[in-house]
Amino acid sequence: MDWELKRELQEKLAGEQGYYRYAAGTRQRFALVYPNSYFVGMSNLGLHIIYDLLNKRRDTACERFFLPERQRIARYEKTRTPLMSIENQLPLYEFPLIGFAVSFEMDYFNVLKVLELGKIRLRAAERTEQDPIVIAGGPCATFNPEPLSLVIDAFIIGEGEVIMPAFMDAYARARAAGVSRAELLLALAAVPGVYVPSLYEHRYDAAGRLAAVEPLPGAPERVCRQWVKDLDAWPAHTVVVTDDTEFNLYLVETARGCGRHCRFCMAGYCFRVPRNRSLALIEREVREALPFGKRIGLMGAAISDYPEIDALCRNILGEGLSMSVASFRADSVTEELVASLAESGLKTLTMAPEAGSKRMRAVINKGIEEEHLFHAMDLGLAAGISNYRLYLMIGLPFETAEDIEAIIDLAGRLKDYMEERGAKGTLTLSINPFIPKPFTPFQWSPMCEKKTVERSLKRIEQALRRRKHIHIIAESPREAYVQGVLARGDRRVAAALLRAHEMGGSKAFRRAMREAQLDPAFYLYRERSPEELFPWERLDMGFRKEYLYAELQRAQKLLPTVPCFAGCHRCGVC
């Protein structure tokens, strides 16, 4: 045990308010792990929600673990100290249940590092009766668990509030009955929304395509995503307050899900249907935040779509607090929202047209037009906000060279407009290579060739280089293509992930793929046939596969799909 590492965790705990801490032996231990730094993990609202939910049970003591920073990892390894919890500085291997909250594909490498530091066997098949059960939830677990299928014992498919209580009850009953590990996993698989990968056999044809996913005896035919029907029954806000977070906000969730039908957006499909919390509940949560004096961070798919956003803004500022938002749509933003953000000290207004041309925005069904962008900029300039950011993607399905030129043209005209209005601020383009994700209409589409994406990015950078105060931030195409394999990969990719870990992590992933005789192009650049079986087929998001394919055809024809509305039964979720 390294006492310096333990002291640092104790100091971190001392800087927190609102944590739970129970005496050893009084409750069932649960390790809640965010596979990234404390700084990043404590900015994740989902972590707070599950931490609060589990600790409010009478039988569970949930403690948090995070991936240490690089220099701390070296110290853990040098001193052979097992990874310890924040609350009681207990080693990870002492927790019979370990749950990962996984939001990003690149954190898969961190999952393996955390288990290694915690002295846990990496391969689920090698764990014994004395070893912990390792589970994973969050967006990545819900969409495509297969790249982690050799590591994770069970996945939470959907929203944890409605799955974890039943999961914990099933776990407690099975443990009390003294069943074997295999019997325990079968019992957990019977819980709605729990996917146990070892209970499904994947078979491939001669071309390497997935031919069948066969459930073993006792496994459910399909695992249905579970979701909260009444958000007011499950308040969601910051639980553990600390200054050591990415934005130093007190987070409050206003809504969940999105019904806009953007065809690239996995969250828009897998968190459907759109649901709003009542204004009264959110106002109560804002009042509970008053003692901490922090800026309120409103969380939701599109804050400006919240039907009572203006009243909420007035309430927050009326309580003497400031506010920030996760995102808003340029076609629904209000003058009061922008003015409230400006009064709260916002320096940069962010908009997400995703594409530069009207044609590409029709392909992805974004619903944002240029007049919306200029109107939102008008509101921002009137409120005194001088800096603007655009979120854009390149490499989208059906994209042409003209669509790349349209990004350059749009950026130039928006910057001209800023200058005409006397704004001397910066226009930032945040550009990401597009990754076709599971459970979206583009899951059949190939990812754009890396060389093409790099060429498009270079074209944008060269064209805008001479414009003062236009900045370009671009995600690394190399990393995006690793994400692409992990997002779309089948069970065979899990072996390459483990091998990459042995060779040092994400930078060794391509070499690990070659050793596993897997071609990244098979996962990235191959267009799928309408009949192709996907690795995630046993998961049921509530909508029909035929609906998604029809949306792909509508994208190619530039046909719009209207947002969700009361009484709609198009996709099947309702």
Side-chain angles (χ1 to χ4, degrees):
M1 177 70 71
D2 186 293
W3 294 103
E4 180 66 21
L5 289 170
K6 187 170 184 177
R7 183 186 61 79
E8 288 175 357
L9 291 171
Q10 290 170 342
E11 288 176 354
K12 200 170 285 292
L13 187 71
E16 295 182 341
Q17 299 178 69
Y19 61 82
Y20 293 86
R21 197 177 185 195
Y22 298 107
T26 59
R27 290 167 171 243
Q28 173 73 62
R29 289 178 184 161
F30 186 107
L32 180 59
V33 186
Y34 194 87
N36 209 305
S37 68
Y38 177 94
F39 182 74
V40 173
M42 288 303 293
S43 305
N44 182 276
L45 184 56
L47 186 85
H48 290 260
I49 293 169
I50 298 303
Y51 179 75
D52 191 47
L53 181 149
L54 292 175
N55 276 307
K56 282 181 174 175
R57 291 176 60 92
R58 295 181 178 180
D59 60 354
T60 306
C62 176
E63 300 193 24
R64 291 162 294 146
F65 289 77
F66 301 90
L67 180 74
E69 294 177 6
R70 188 170 298 176
Q71 64 270 29
R72 296 294 180 270
I73 289 176
R75 191 176 181 95
Y76 270 104
E77 291 174 334
K78 182 179 179 181
T79 61
R80 298 184 181 180
T81 300
L83 189 65
M84 294 179 288
S85 66
I86 298 291
E87 283 75 8
N88 286 301
Q89 301 85 57
L90 296 174
L92 184 62
Y93 65 75
E94 288 189 4
F95 287 74
L97 270 171
I98 299 172
F100 284 91
V102 188
S103 299
F104 306 104
E105 288 90 358
M106 294 305 288
D107 281 344
Y108 292 2
F109 301 97
N110 296 340
V111 169
L112 295 172
K113 191 63 184 178
V114 165
L115 291 174
E116 180 184 74
L117 291 171
K119 316 299 183 188
I120 307 296
R121 289 180 174 87
L122 298 187
R123 292 179 178 269
E126 295 175 358
R127 296 184 192 127
T128 68
E129 299 294 332
Q130 287 71 47
D131 287 314
I133 296 292
V134 181
I135 69 173
C140 288
T142 293
F143 306 141
N144 181 17
E146 294 309 324
L148 283 172
S149 59
L150 296 182
V151 178
I152 303 299
D153 292 303
F155 291 90
I156 305 302
I157 309 300
E159 296 173 6
E161 295 99 326
V162 290
I163 303 174
M164 288 308 296
F167 178 95
M168 295 300 293
D169 291 344
Y171 176 85
R173 286 193 300 269
R175 280 300 191 211
V179 302
S180 67
R181 186 181 186 88
E183 292 169 320
L184 171 58
L185 290 174
L186 269 174
L188 295 177
V191 176
V194 176
Y195 172 65
V196 177
S198 61
L199 297 180
Y200 298 83
E201 184 178 297
H202 288 224
R203 291 190 287 104
Y204 302 88
D205 63 21
R209 292 185 294 265
L210 189 62
V213 180
E214 302 286 355
L216 299 179
E221 283 287 321
R222 301 185 71 76
V223 178
C224 297
R225 172 183 67 105
Q226 304 297 300
W227 48 284
V228 175
K229 306 298 190 293
D230 177 15
L231 286 186
D232 276 9
W234 301 97
H237 54 80
T238 291
V239 174
V240 180
V241 179
T242 173
D243 293 339
D244 191 11
T245 64
E246 210 163 358
F247 305 107
N248 197 17
L249 302 171
Y250 187 98
L251 304 175
V252 175
E253 188 183 55
T254 62
R256 193 173 293 182
C258 181
R260 289 287 193 157
H261 297 242
C262 297
R263 294 177 178 127
F264 62 88
C265 182
M266 196 162 54
Y269 288 89
C270 293
F271 292 139
R272 195 172 292 180
V273 291
R275 293 147 285 159
N276 294 308
R277 284 192 166 82
S278 68
L279 180 62
L281 176 67
I282 299 172
E283 288 178 342
R284 190 185 78 201
E285 292 179 333
V286 169
R287 287 193 297 273
E288 290 171 358
L290 282 171
F292 306 109
K294 288 185 177 290
R295 198 155 38 117
I296 301 296
L298 298 179
M299 306 297 291
I303 297 301
S304 53
D305 281 353
Y306 184 68
E308 297 177 275
I309 186 61
D310 287 349
L312 180 55
C313 290
R314 288 192 294 272
N315 174 264
I316 292 171
L317 270 62
E319 294 285 1
L321 297 171
S322 58
M323 59 178 283
S324 178
V325 300
S327 63
F328 69 77
R329 284 184 58 99
D331 59 345
S332 62
V333 67
T334 67
E335 182 177 357
E336 185 142 12
L337 173 57
V338 173
S340 298
L341 293 170
E343 190 174 334
S344 298
L346 184 76
K347 303 298 183 186
T348 301
L349 201 65
T350 299
M351 301 178 283
E354 312 294 358
S357 69
K358 183 180 181 70
R359 190 186 77 86
M360 279 312 305
R361 290 193 295 272
V363 167
I364 63 177
N365 200 51
K366 182 64 184 178
I368 299 288
E369 301 301 340
E370 285 191 8
E371 57 264 30
H372 300 132
L373 300 175
F374 283 97
H375 175 64
M377 186 173 276
D378 268 334
L379 295 177
L381 292 168
I385 299 173
S386 56
N387 301 301
Y388 295 84
R389 179 188 295 258
L390 301 180
Y391 282 128
L392 296 156
M393 292 183 289
I394 54 176
L396 285 158
F398 316 120
E399 184 179 83
T400 66
E402 288 74 20
D403 298 309
I404 300 301
E405 294 301 316
I407 292 175
I408 297 165
D409 176 65
L410 177 63
R413 287 187 289 112
L414 284 169
K415 189 68 179 77
D416 289 342
Y417 193 71
M418 291 169 61
E419 292 171 354
E420 288 167 10
R421 298 289 302 275
K424 297 179 180 179
T426 298
L427 177 66
T428 300
L429 308 187
S430 181
I431 303 176
N432 295 303
F434 172 68
I435 301 171
K437 293 293 185 81
F439 294 113
T440 70
F442 295 143
Q443 65 180 354
W444 286 273
S445 302
M447 197 168 173
C448 185
E449 290 275 355
K450 182 168 171 281
K451 289 181 179 178
T452 303
V453 167
E454 289 173 337
R455 188 165 56 247
S456 297
L457 186 57
K458 185 177 180 180
R459 168 63 188 144
I460 295 169
E461 289 172 337
Q462 288 178 338
L464 297 174
R465 184 177 294 160
R466 291 191 178 89
R467 286 298 303 261
K468 287 185 178 180
H469 306 302
I470 291 185
H471 292 171
I472 297 173
I473 301 171
E475 182 183 3
S476 159
R478 181 185 177 280
E479 187 171 297
Y481 284 80
V482 174
Q483 289 181 47
V485 174
L486 294 174
R488 297 157 65 81
D490 54 36
R491 188 164 288 192
R492 295 170 298 186
V493 170
L497 184 68
L498 282 160
R499 181 62 182 135
H501 171 74
E502 293 170 1
M503 294 191 292
S506 61
K507 291 182 179 178
F509 185 63
R510 284 186 175 275
R511 189 153 46 101
M513 289 284 286
R514 287 196 299 271
E515 284 194 15
Q517 297 183 320
L518 297 173
D519 182 3
F522 177 84
Y523 300 99
L524 296 172
Y525 304 137
R526 186 173 57 84
E527 187 166 358
R528 275 58 165 176
S529 70
E531 300 78 24
E532 177 142 350
L533 189 68
F534 291 111
W536 46 87
E537 292 276 353
R538 288 290 169 181
L539 307 182
D540 185 352
M541 296 297 121
F543 45 75
R544 299 178 300 276
K545 189 175 180 180
E546 296 77 14
Y547 165 77
L548 290 180
Y549 194 75
E551 280 295 301
L552 176 63
Q553 294 172 311
R554 293 180 69 81
Q556 192 166 11
K557 297 173 183 176
L558 309 184
L559 295 175
T561 296
V562 299
C564 294
F565 56 88
C568 170
H569 295 284
R570 290 170 295 173
C571 73
V573 171
C574 292

